[in-house]
C-alpha cells in the first residue's frame, strides 16, 4: 500500500515551458487535491476533485489545469510556466466525505519541488 | 474571512524538554481541527483530529487541546526528541464546506537541539 505517490520529485523548467505533475493514490479515496506550499505561507489549494469525473477551482487556480483521469489518478498541468509558479506542490487524497472514523483526514504525497527559471 | 493563526513562528528547545504550540482560528461554523507534522522535504502527516465535542486528544507524546468557545487549540509535546524537529501545521475545517472547506495555518517550525 503506497498511499499517495507523486512524480517527479524535482523539476526545473524555463519560463514558458509546460509540464504535467502526476499523482496517484491506492487507498480508494474519492476526493483528491493539489496544493502549493511557499515559504512563509500555508498550504494553498489550487484545484480539487471531490469525486471521479468532477474538478473544481480552489484558492489559486490561475495558470493551472487538472485532469481526474480515474479514481486513482489526478494530474496537474502547467501550460506556460512562470517564475511565480516556483513552489513545492503536494497532492492529497481524503477519506470519503460524510463518514468514516477519521473525520475526512487528508493523506499527502511527498511533494514535487518545481523551479521555474 | 476564515483564518488560522499559529504561534510562535519558530521555536528552538533542548532535547528532553516540553513545549506547547498555539493555534487560534476564526473559522465558522467549525467542524473539526487537525494538527499535522511535516518533516523537512516530506508531506504533512496527521497527528490528531478533534471535533467540537473533544477537548483533549493524545497521540503518544503529542497532546492536543481544543477550546471551541475561545477558538483556540494547542499542541503539547512531552519529553521532546530530535525526531520531533519539524513544522507543525494547524488546519481547521468549516462545517458544510465540502471538499475545499479547509483553512491551513502557516505552521510552527520546531527545532530540537541535542
Amino acid at each position: 500500500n503506497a498511499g499517495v505517490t507523486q512524480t517527479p520529485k524535482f523539476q526545473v523548467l524555463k519560463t514558458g515551458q509546460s509540464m504535467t505533475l502526476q499523482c496517484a493514490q491506492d487507498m480508494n479515496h474519492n476526493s483528491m487535491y493539489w496544493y502549493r506550499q511557499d515559504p512563509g505561507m500555508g498550504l494553498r489549494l489550487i484545484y480539487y476533485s471531490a469525486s471521479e469525473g468532477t474538478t473544481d477551482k480552489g484558492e489559486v487556480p490561475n495558470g493551472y489545469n487538472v485532469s481526474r483521469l480515474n479514481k486513482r489518478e489526478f494530474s496537474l498541468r502547467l501550460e506556460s510556466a512562470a517564475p511565480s509558479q516556483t513552489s513545492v506542490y503536494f497532492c492529497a487524497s481524503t477519506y470519503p466525505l460524510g463518514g468514516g472514523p477519521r473525520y475526512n483526514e487528508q493523506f499527502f504525497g511527498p511533494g514535487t519541488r518545481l523551479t521555474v527559471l | 474571512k476564515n483564518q488560522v493563526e499559529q504561534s510562535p513562528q519558530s521555536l528552538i528547545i533542548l532535547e528532553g524538554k516540553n513545549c506547547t504550540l498555539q493555534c487560534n482560528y476564526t473559522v465558522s461554523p467549525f467542524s473539526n481541527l487537525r494538527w499535522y507534522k511535516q518533516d523537512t522535504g516530506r508531506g504533512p502527516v496527521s497527528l490528531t483530529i478533534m471535533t467540537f465535542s473533544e477537548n483533549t486528544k493524545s497521540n503518544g507524546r503529542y497532546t492536543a487541546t481544543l477550546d471551541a468557545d475561545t477558538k483556540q487549540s494547542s499542541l503539547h509535546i512531552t519529553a521532546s526528541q530530535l525526531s520531533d524537529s519539524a513544522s507543525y501545521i494547524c488546519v481547521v475545517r468549516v462545517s458544510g464546506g465540502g471538499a475545499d472547506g479547509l483553512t491551513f495555518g502557516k505552521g510552527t517550525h520546531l527545532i530540537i537541539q541535542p
Side-chain angles (χ1 to χ4, degrees), chain A residues 31 33 35 37 40-43 45 48-50 57 90 94 97 102-111 113, chain B residues 1 31-32 34 36 38 40-46 49-51 54 57 89 93 98-100 102 104-106:
Chain A
S31 300
Y33 309 76
Y35 293 92
Q37 186 176 43
M41 303 188 72
L43 284 152
L45 182 64
Y48 66 99
S49 171
K57 295 178 180 180
F90 288 99
T94 303
L97 286 174
R102 301 305 300 274
Y103 311 120
N104 308 325
E105 178 180 352
Q106 282 191 317
F107 295 82
F108 287 84
R113 283 144 189 82
Chain B
K1 181 181 176 182
S31 176
N32 58 59
R34 320 111 176 272
Y36 283 89
Q38 184 176 20
T40 300
R42 309 287 292 273
V45 174
S46 178
I49 302 175
M50 291 186 291
T51 61
E54 298 171 301
K57 184 168 279 190
I89 302 171
R93 170 173 282 281
D100 63 338
L102 297 176
F104 289 80
K106 295 179 181 180

Side-chain angles (χ1 to χ4, degrees), chain A residues 79-93:
Chain A
E79 290 291 351
S80 179
S84 61
Q85 294 178 304
T86 294
S87 187
V88 181
Y89 292 86
F90 288 99
C91 177
S93 68

Side-chain angles (χ1 to χ4, degrees), chain A residues 6-26:
Chain A
Q6 293 183 235
T7 56
K9 285 186 167 43
F10 301 93
Q11 185 71 50
V12 178
L13 293 177
K14 294 181 179 179
T15 298
Q17 287 184 317
S18 63
M19 78 161 296
T20 299
L21 282 63
Q22 306 287 353
C23 173
Q25 52 91 10
D26 61 1

Side-chain angles (χ1 to χ4, degrees), chain A residues 1-2 4 7 11 18 36 41 44 48 54 56 61 64 69 71 73-74 76 81 93 96-97 102-104 112:
Chain A
N1 198 346
V4 179
T7 56
Q11 185 71 50
S18 63
R36 60 178 289 174
M41 303 188 72
R44 292 184 291 169
Y48 66 99
T54 69
D56 286 286
Y64 306 95
L69 305 171
K71 192 170 186 179
E73 299 172 289
F74 188 38
L76 178 72
S93 68
L97 286 174
R102 301 305 300 274
Y103 311 120
N104 308 325
T112 294

Side-chain angles (χ1 to χ4, degrees), chain B residues 49-61:
Chain B
I49 302 175
M50 291 186 291
T51 61
F52 185 88
S53 59
E54 298 171 301
N55 53 27
T56 302
K57 184 168 279 190
S58 293
N59 179 357
R61 294 179 297 101

